[in-house]
Amino acid sequence: MKLLVTGGAGFIGCNFVHYMLQNNPSTSLVALDLLTYAGNLSSLESVIDHPNFRFVKGDITDREAIFALFEEESFDAVVNFAAESHVDRSIHNPGVFLTTNILGTQTLMDACRQYNVGRFHQVGTDEVYGDLPLDRPDLLFTEETPIHTSSPYSASKASADLLTQAYHRTYKLPITISRCSNNYGPYHFPEKLIPLMITRALHDQPLPVYGNGLNVRDWLYVEDHCAAIAMILEHGTVGEVYNVGGHNEKTNLDVVKTILDELGKPHSLIEFVTDRAGHDLRYAIDPTKIHNELGWTPKTPFKEGIQKTVQWYLEHRDWWQDILSGDYRNYYETMYGNREKVS
Ligand code: NAD
Ligand code: TYD
C-alpha cells in the first residue's frame, strides 16, 4: 500500500505519518507539503530516513507538479490534510483559503482520476455544520446536519467537501470524508488555542481569551483522529462521510484553566479580549456512525491527553521556540496588536 499524505508537515498530517509508520509497517508514505508558515519539517525529523518514507516539498494547487508526482509514484490512496487551517487568519485574508482548500482539493482529485487512485480521503472539519446553541446540550452534529458555515475557513472546507462528493457522484471517484472536532496534542502550531496558551503561560505572558470564554469545543486527542482515518481508509464505505469526535465538550475558559493548573501557573494570567468576528458558539459531534460501522472509539480521556500534551511542550521547547523566534512574532502582533483589552 502506497499512500500520499498531503500537508504531512502540519499538525495532524505529521502525527498521521508517525502513526502509520508505527502501526502499519507494510504501508509506504510520501508526505507532500508546501511548508507554509504552518508546515515544519522538523516535525518529521525522526522519520525522514525511514525506508518507507519520502518527503516532497510541493503545492497541491500546482497541477503540473502534482500530476508528475502521481505519474512517478503510483499511489494506492491519498489522504488530503493540506489546507489553510486557522479561522482567525481566514478572517484577515480569505483568498488563500479558497485557493488552497478548494482548488488544491480539485487538483488532487483530478490527479486521482487520471491515475486511477483507489481512494481519495478528504480530511474535513465539524466546522462545516456551523454552530450549536449553548443551552441545548441534547443537540449534536450528525452526518445529516445541514452544511451552514460561519467563517471563510469553514466555507472553504465545506466547498471542498461538496466538490469531493460531486466527484464521487459524477466521476465515480472512490472518496471518503471525515469531519472531525478540534484536535490537540504534539506538534500543534502555537497559534491555536491549546498550544498558544501553553507556550505563553510558560513565558508568564497574558493568555488572550476571546469574549467571555464560554464558547464550547469538542476536543479529541490527535492520535485518536489518526486511528479513525486509518480505519476509514481500511474499512470505510466509499462515498460516505464519517463524523469523528469524542463527546468531550469544554468551554475555552475551562481548557485554559486546566492548562494553567497543569503548569502550576496563576489564573490571573487570563486576559479577556475582544471576541472573534462570527465566533461559533458550540461544536459537538455525534460519532455514532463511525462507532457502529467501524468500531472506532476514542482512547484518550481529556485529562490524560492534556497532561501528555503539556508534557510534550515541556520536553520539546526547541520545537516551539524555533517557531516563536521566526515570523510568528509579526503574526502575533497582527492578530492581537489591535485587540482591545476588555477586562
Ligand atoms: P496545519 O495548518 O497544522 O497543517 C496544514 C499543512 O498543510 C501545513 O503543513 C502546510 O504547510 C500545508 N499546506 C498548506 N497549503 C499547502 C499547499 N498549497 N500545498 C501543500 N501543502 C500545503 O493544519 P492541521 O491542524 O494539521 O489540519 C490538517 C487538516 O485537518 C486540515 O484540512 C484541517 O481543515 C483539518 N482539521 C483540523 C482540525 C484541527 O483541530 N486542527 C480539526 C478537524 C479538521
Ligand atoms: P482555535 O484553536 O483557533 O480553533 P477553532 O476556532 O477552529 O475552533 O480556537 C479554539 C477556541 O478558542 C475558539 O472558540 C476560539 C478560542 N480562542 C481564544 O479564546 N483565544 C485565542 O487566542 C485563540 C487562538 C482561540
Side-chain angles (χ1 to χ4, degrees):
M1 169 91 155
K2 189 185 274 188
L3 264 186
L4 173 64
V5 180
T6 69
F11 164 45
I12 311 177
C14 80
N15 276 285
F16 184 73
V17 167
H18 292 297
Y19 179 89
M20 291 302 279
L21 288 174
Q22 264 161 31
N23 294 289
N24 297 60
S26 60
T27 302
S28 63
L29 301 172
V30 175
L32 174 90
D33 199 296
L34 184 57
L35 298 180
T36 66
Y37 81 92
N40 192 340
L41 206 45
S42 76
S43 307
L44 295 168
E45 206 178 328
S46 62
V47 297
I48 219 85
D49 295 323
H50 193 292
N52 288 355
F53 180 75
R54 175 185 173 201
F55 177 79
V56 176
K57 183 171 188 289
D59 186 342
I60 59 167
T61 68
D62 182 342
R63 279 188 102 72
E64 211 176 303
I66 292 296
F67 275 62
L69 182 65
F70 277 63
E71 172 86 40
E72 185 188 343
E73 289 282 0
S74 303
F75 296 117
D76 298 300
V78 173
V79 184
N80 182 27
F81 292 96
E84 288 293 332
S85 68
H86 191 33
V87 172
D88 292 326
R89 286 182 186 259
S90 83
I91 294 168
H92 280 251
N93 180 21
V96 68
F97 283 73
L98 308 193
T99 309
T100 298
N101 298 0
I102 307 172
L103 299 181
T105 303
Q106 183 214 353
T107 305
L108 290 170
M109 290 195 294
D110 285 343
C112 286
R113 287 183 63 210
Q114 173 84 21
Y115 292 97
N116 291 316
V117 173
R119 178 75 68 84
F120 176 78
H121 181 78
Q122 174 68 1
V123 181
T125 164
D126 62 354
E127 300 192 28
V128 301
Y129 300 123
D131 62 355
L132 295 163
L134 291 175
D135 59 354
R136 289 289 308 274
D138 54 311
L139 295 181
L140 303 170
F141 296 136
T142 73
E143 289 80 2
E144 313 311 322
T145 301
I147 302 290
H148 185 85
T149 57
S150 308
S151 69
Y153 163 68
S154 57
S156 70
K157 292 295 290 183
S159 306
D161 281 10
L162 293 174
L163 196 63
T164 303
Q165 288 172 311
Y167 268 55
H168 174 59
R169 166 100 185 207
T170 303
Y171 306 117
K172 310 278 177 283
L173 187 72
I175 65 99
T176 40
I177 297 174
S178 50
R179 293 187 181 139
C180 192
S181 59
N182 287 61
N183 284 215
Y184 68 103
Y187 302 110
H188 204 177
F189 193 85
E191 66 181 350
K192 306 282 171 64
L193 181 75
I194 289 181
L196 182 85
M197 299 302 167
I198 296 173
T199 53
R200 287 184 67 80
L202 282 170
H203 285 137
D204 298 305
Q205 292 167 326
L207 309 189
V209 170
Y210 298 164
N212 60 11
L214 297 182
N215 301 59
V216 170
R217 296 295 183 262
D218 181 358
W219 294 97
L220 183 72
Y221 193 62
V222 64
E223 202 175 291
D224 285 323
H225 185 192
C226 296
I229 293 172
M231 276 186 185
I232 295 169
L233 276 179
E234 200 171 349
H235 304 295
T237 305
V238 164
E240 292 293 307
V241 174
Y242 293 92
N243 281 358
V244 184
H247 287 302
N248 192 19
E249 293 178 50
K250 307 258 174 240
T251 67
N252 295 336
L253 205 48
D254 277 345
V255 170
V256 174
K257 284 180 180 167
T258 304
I259 290 168
L260 287 169
D261 293 345
E262 284 299 327
L263 291 170
K265 298 284 183 181
H267 290 192
S268 56
L269 283 177
I270 293 172
E271 184 176 284
F272 292 97
V273 299
T274 313
D275 209 354
R276 171 187 282 172
H279 198 172
D280 279 335
L281 290 174
R282 171 177 165 248
Y283 303 144
I285 282 274
D286 177 356
T288 305
K289 178 175 173 179
I290 190 167
H291 178 71
N292 288 350
E293 282 188 22
L294 307 183
W296 178 86
T297 179
K299 297 215 165 25
T300 315
F302 187 71
K303 178 100 185 112
E304 181 189 329
I306 201 76
Q307 279 171 351
K308 275 161 76 167
T309 304
V310 166
Q311 198 53 37
W312 190 88
Y313 280 83
L314 286 169
E315 287 168 7
H316 294 82
R317 284 171 189 265
D318 286 355
W319 184 86
W320 54 268
Q321 273 167 349
D322 282 355
I323 293 172
L324 297 190
S325 62
D327 70 351
Y328 183 79
R329 283 240 172 91
N330 305 331
Y331 163 77
Y332 193 86
E333 272 313 299
T334 316
M335 288 294 163
Y336 295 95
N338 297 328
R339 269 184 203 273
E340 236 173 277
K341 187 176 164 186
V342 290
S343 82

